[in-house]
Amino acid sequence: MTNENRQSGKNAYGKRNSKKRYLTYRKAANRKSLQPQKAKESVRIAFLGGMNEIGKNMTLYEYGGDMFIVDCGLAFPDSDLPGVDLVIPDFTYVENNADKIKGIIVTHGHEDHIGGLAYLLKRVNIPIYATKLTIGLIKGKLEEHNLLKSAKLVEIKPRDNITLGNFNIELIHVNHSIPDAVGLAIRCPAGVIIQTGDFKIDTTPVDGDMIDLPRFAEYGKKGVLALLSDSTNAERPGYTMSEKSVGESFEMLFRKAKGKRIVVATFASNIHRVQQIIDVAKSRGRKVAVIGRSLENLVSVGSELGYLNVPEGVLIDINLIRNYPDDKLVIITTGSQGEPMSALTKMAFGEHRKVNLTPNDYVIISATPIPGNEKMVGNVVNELMKRGVDVIYERMYDVHVSGHACQEELKLMMGLVKPKYFLPVHGEQKHLQRHASLAVAMGINEKNIYIGNIGDRIELSDDGIKFINTVTAGAVYVDGIGVGDVGSIVLNDRKHLSKDGIIIVVATIDSASGNVVSGPDIVSRGFVYVKENEALMNSARDLACRVIDESYDSKYHDWNSVKTKLRDELSKMMYDKTKRSPMILPILMEI
């Protein structure tokens, strides 16, 4: 080895001494390990609605003491909720963190995304960010509740960026069954989260504005921490048909209905569908009348904001339909889901004050029944047919297409976004599970997929996805003007009454002697027809009299024990004789 190489620390081959280099690297590594490691950043998500259910969508994001909400919707009650008008999310967690919440971003104007806003703003006044049409529909909701003047509404548009504390959110245009729908790119120090909102990929949309797939792809190239994606149609293979195909079907059906009056029932929020009906009606020389408060509001707001083009002279008041022959009329109505109080249902049963259907009517139900509504829709169709009406419904023709992505579109979204973690949202358990299996097929590790429940609060970071705890969340029932005052006890009573009826026992007792002065009278509602069951009622009266005599103590006046004994004895007797369990309500008065 030369002196030159020895002095320079190189070996005989002119290369630096590997042992010396190793020692240098090891010392540097030891110094680095002694330095404090920076904690991994994480973002937290709380699911307040829209999981394991259709509707009531609401998601809360939190990072570094800042929070914001995506959507605040409602759900409509099913047959298990007698008397309930609406179902909204439980806002307890939002109220408890009101000082941290910077705003609400609404993805689009459907009821399952905006319907709960008025009820939330009555508790916490938070700024609302939404696109033009969505703001217009929200204003109508808030005006009904006298909240419009106090609400802070901020109009935004696709590609806009909103800063809410530690979050910066970009809106990305998507196709849906209502204009101005957006997905969200949520940026914070933990990474980028994409929430699609309700979407489909329509290459020929009615408004000509295709989903902004390039923007989703740009985020995919840069790196996306997590994707929260609409699961509504995760069970359906292929692609969702374009809304334009419905317009072509309307053209054909309107020609087929020659000489008849046409009635079209559709979702009140589907402004594209309404536009196509108006366009075809105009081309066929027909006037258009609209029935249904929500539909009338949509036409008013859509026309005012420029989302609905109604040629002059085409739209007429429903009160003027008698002035036109049947072959010159189209009526657009609500009731495509067979709702009991809807206009179409009233028409079918001959109860509508302004429209009387005859065999010269041609009814098109431009919607597919929501799961659970099939029987109601079927009842309406049957009643319409009894009246001799021609009815086009469900899949007889292409008179309805979904606003939600099918499997191939869902996979395309995953392929573009390339998320590290995947969270299926907006659907029942079967939809979420099916969507998760699509993600696995797309190469996403099962460990990186999380199927949540309402109330779940999770944490996301590069290190992983994990469940933290459960927050207060669930369903609050709206009944008339009452919000939250109908709970499980009230609902159980309603179910009990609807199933077995009620028996009321009324008696007046002398407080001094304990003798029955008046009664006991037995009143029955929804249990048996009294006139045909006098013997049963007399037996009940005798039993009540005996129980009162045996149980009443004039000294201690223990009303509760007397009432409890009455309920128990009468319930046993009624079940023994009728195998029914009516609600027993004792009313005892003391004089």
Side-chain angles (χ1 to χ4, degrees):
M1 182 180 290
T2 64
N3 288 333
E4 183 182 354
N5 283 340
R6 193 177 287 114
Q7 290 172 1
S8 65
K10 296 179 181 178
N11 59 21
Y13 299 100
K15 295 181 179 179
R16 190 167 295 278
N17 190 302
S18 60
K19 184 176 181 180
K20 189 172 184 179
R21 186 168 70 248
Y22 168 75
L23 291 173
T24 302
Y25 288 162
R26 186 173 180 183
K27 287 177 182 177
N30 286 339
R31 283 198 303 271
K32 188 175 181 181
S33 66
L34 293 174
Q35 293 175 354
Q37 296 293 311
K38 186 178 179 181
K40 291 285 185 181
E41 305 282 2
S42 62
V43 59
R44 295 178 177 184
I45 304 173
F47 301 109
L48 304 182
M51 303 295 286
N52 292 300
E53 63 181 357
I54 300 294
K56 199 158 65 63
N57 297 292
M58 189 174 186
T59 310
L60 186 144
Y61 291 85
E62 43 185 309
Y63 179 89
D66 294 328
M67 298 180 175
F68 81 97
I69 297 168
V70 177
D71 294 328
C72 182
L74 58 75
F76 292 102
D78 55 27
S79 57
D80 292 333
L81 301 173
V84 174
D85 298 322
L86 304 169
V87 185
I88 59 175
D90 187 327
F91 300 133
T92 302
Y93 188 66
V94 175
E95 291 182 75
N96 292 342
N97 293 278
D99 57 327
K100 300 178 182 178
I101 298 175
K102 306 303 179 183
I104 306 172
I105 299 179
V106 182
T107 57
H108 64 278
H110 280 159
E111 289 286 344
D112 58 335
H113 292 258
I114 68 171
L117 285 171
Y119 299 98
L120 176 60
L121 293 190
K122 288 177 181 178
R123 297 168 178 265
V124 183
N125 195 356
I126 305 170
I128 298 172
Y129 299 83
T131 50
K132 188 176 180 180
L133 178 61
T134 308
I135 288 286
L137 295 171
I138 290 171
K139 283 181 177 178
K141 294 285 180 188
L142 300 184
E143 199 165 17
E144 290 179 12
H145 292 262
N146 297 316
L147 293 169
L148 187 55
K149 290 183 180 178
S150 60
K152 183 181 179 182
L153 303 176
V154 182
E155 186 181 310
I156 48 181
K157 60 183 184 298
R159 294 285 183 122
D160 278 356
N161 286 272
I162 310 157
T163 299
L164 300 175
N166 282 304
F167 293 97
N168 183 268
I169 304 101
E170 180 181 347
L171 277 68
I172 306 175
H173 172 71
V174 298
N175 297 132
H176 190 38
S177 55
I178 189 170
D180 267 8
V182 293
L184 307 176
I186 301 161
R187 293 171 289 192
C188 66
V192 176
I193 298 172
I194 299 291
Q195 182 162 344
T196 65
D198 289 356
F199 83 100
K200 70 175 183 178
I201 298 173
D202 193 341
T203 55
T204 57
V206 173
D207 59 8
D209 197 2
M210 186 180 161
I211 181 174
D212 194 353
L213 292 177
R215 193 59 180 149
F216 284 108
E218 286 174 26
Y219 276 105
K221 289 178 182 178
K222 294 175 184 176
V224 170
L225 181 66
L227 170 66
L228 282 70
S229 184
D230 174 19
S231 304
T232 308
N233 274 354
E235 294 181 302
R236 297 185 183 180
Y239 297 85
T240 303
M241 290 177 64
S242 172
E243 181 67 29
K244 274 197 173 177
S245 64
V246 177
E248 295 166 2
S249 295
F250 281 145
E251 286 275 5
M252 181 268 295
L253 291 170
F254 277 36
R255 286 195 303 270
K256 192 174 179 180
K258 186 176 181 180
K260 294 190 175 185
R261 182 173 63 176
I262 298 172
V263 179
V264 185
T266 188
F267 287 112
S269 59
N270 198 331
I271 199 167
H272 292 321
R273 192 74 45 82
V274 173
Q275 181 68 69
Q276 292 187 99
I277 296 168
I278 291 173
D279 290 343
V280 178
K282 182 180 181 297
S283 70
R284 307 297 300 176
R286 291 177 180 257
K287 302 292 185 182
V288 176
V290 176
I291 299 178
R293 185 180 176 187
S294 53
L295 200 50
E296 291 168 6
N297 180 58
L298 180 82
V299 171
S300 174
V301 173
S303 301
E304 182 183 339
L305 298 179
Y307 290 89
L308 197 60
N309 177 28
V310 183
E312 190 174 347
V314 172
L315 200 63
I316 62 170
D317 189 276
I318 190 63
N319 296 308
L320 300 178
I321 60 174
R322 294 180 181 178
N323 299 339
Y324 296 88
D326 287 351
D327 62 351
K328 295 297 180 184
L329 277 175
V330 175
I331 298 172
I332 308 176
T333 180
T334 54
S336 62
Q337 295 301 305
E339 303 95 322
M341 299 305 293
S342 67
L344 183 64
T345 301
K346 289 180 179 179
M347 291 178 203
F349 285 88
E351 298 172 357
H352 200 280
R353 291 179 297 174
K354 298 177 181 178
V355 180
N356 180 41
L357 296 182
T358 70
N360 204 46
D361 282 302
Y362 193 84
V363 175
I364 302 170
I365 300 179
S366 182
T368 300
I370 294 170
N373 290 352
E374 294 90 350
K375 188 173 182 180
M376 290 192 298
V377 174
N379 289 339
V380 170
V381 171
N382 288 333
E383 290 300 320
L384 289 169
M385 289 183 171
K386 287 178 185 178
R387 305 178 77 83
V389 175
D390 281 339
V391 187
I392 306 299
Y393 60 98
E394 291 191 35
R395 303 191 183 277
M396 292 173 67
Y397 295 93
D398 293 328
V399 292
H400 176 69
V401 296
S402 176
H404 301 271
C406 288
Q407 290 179 358
E408 296 306 312
E409 296 156 273
L410 296 174
K411 290 193 287 186
L412 178 57
M413 180 62 74
M414 288 183 223
L416 290 174
V417 172
K418 299 180 179 67
K420 181 173 183 178
Y421 304 109
F422 178 69
L423 293 86
V425 295
H426 301 181
E428 298 173 0
Q429 184 67 203
K430 60 181 181 178
H431 304 123
L432 304 180
Q433 292 277 3
R434 190 70 188 93
H435 203 173
S437 67
L438 293 177
V440 172
M442 289 293 293
I444 298 176
N445 193 317
E446 285 187 43
K447 295 179 181 179
N448 291 350
I449 299 172
Y450 185 89
I451 298 177
N453 293 302
I454 292 177
D456 282 5
R457 184 164 170 258
I458 64 169
E459 187 172 81
L460 285 170
S461 71
D462 279 333
D463 288 341
I465 179 171
K466 66 179 181 179
F467 170 83
I468 306 173
N469 61 349
T470 300
V471 302
T472 303
V476 173
Y477 305 127
V478 179
D479 188 356
I481 62 172
V483 180
D485 56 353
V486 175
S488 58
I489 295 174
V490 174
L491 286 173
N492 287 335
D493 284 347
R494 290 181 180 181
K495 291 173 186 177
H496 191 175
L497 287 167
S498 67
K499 183 179 179 182
D500 295 308
I502 185 171
I503 290 177
I504 304 171
V505 183
V506 184
T508 305
I509 302 170
D510 187 322
S511 60
S513 65
N515 295 326
V516 176
V517 177
S518 175
D521 294 321
I522 308 294
V523 181
S524 171
R525 292 291 182 271
F527 173 55
V528 293
Y529 185 49
V530 175
K531 289 184 178 180
E532 294 180 357
N533 290 273
E534 289 185 5
L536 179 64
M537 292 297 104
N538 289 334
S539 298
R541 189 177 295 107
D542 294 341
L543 177 62
C545 194
R546 180 173 60 79
V547 169
I548 293 170
D549 286 340
E550 293 176 354
S551 306
Y552 184 75
D553 188 328
S554 60
K555 183 177 180 180
Y556 296 106
H557 302 278
D558 190 356
W559 295 92
N560 288 331
S561 64
V562 178
K563 290 179 179 179
T564 301
K565 191 72 181 294
L566 268 174
R567 273 192 291 267
D568 292 344
E569 292 293 330
L570 282 172
S571 291
K572 184 177 183 302
M573 188 199 84
M574 291 302 176
Y575 186 79
D576 288 342
K577 290 182 178 291
T578 67
K579 300 304 178 188
R580 303 179 200 171
S581 300
M583 181 181 289
I584 309 294
L585 182 62
I587 300 175
L588 303 180
M589 296 173 285
E590 192 178 34
I591 59 172

